[in-house]
Amino acid sequence: MAKNEVFPYRHTRSLPVADGTVSGTPVKVGAFVGVTLTDRGAGGNAAGEATVALSGAYTVSTTDAVASVGLAVYITGAGAITTTASGNTLFGHSLGTKSAGAGTVAVEIHQV
């Protein structure tokens, strides 16, 4: 199970994810965004699927500066977390701050 959970999730689904996806990975599946709680194909999921938390708060990696609590963060088509809105999908809102460079920040997942 994902070890980067900050607050308990409320709702999950088994969803198809990319090959090699491991527990704790931010994902976008169609209109859904979330964090994988299992590795792909593990935890009773069908081959090619993982259990994905669609709500809750998780620490996620980003190289962007996160200037304030409540800042909108986005997920790119490649699964990276960014503060850049243009061309990306809303992932959630920050629960903390961090400076630019490699690091993590807690984010509350937000479904659009």
Side-chain angles (χ1 to χ4, degrees):
M1 296 297 278
K3 294 181 182 174
N4 58 335
E5 183 176 31
V6 178
F7 299 109
Y9 58 89
R10 292 178 294 271
H11 113 251
T12 65
R13 295 290 181 266
S14 183
L15 297 172
V17 295
D19 189 33
T21 300
V22 297
S23 174
T25 303
V27 294
K28 179 180 180 300
V29 182
F32 295 114
V33 295
V35 173
T36 56
L37 298 178
T38 64
D39 294 349
R40 183 178 191 239
N45 291 291
E49 295 187 353
T51 302
V52 179
L54 300 176
S55 62
Y58 295 82
T59 54
V60 294
S61 296
T62 183
T63 57
D64 290 0
V66 179
S68 61
V69 172
L71 184 71
V73 295
Y74 302 85
I75 189 167
T76 68
I81 299 298
T82 181
T83 56
T84 303
S86 181
N88 299 311
T89 301
L90 180 65
F91 184 80
H93 295 89
S94 68
L95 296 175
T97 62
K98 69 171 275 313
S99 57
T104 62
V105 65
V107 173
E108 179 82 24
I109 296 170
H110 180 85
Q111 298 301 324
V112 179

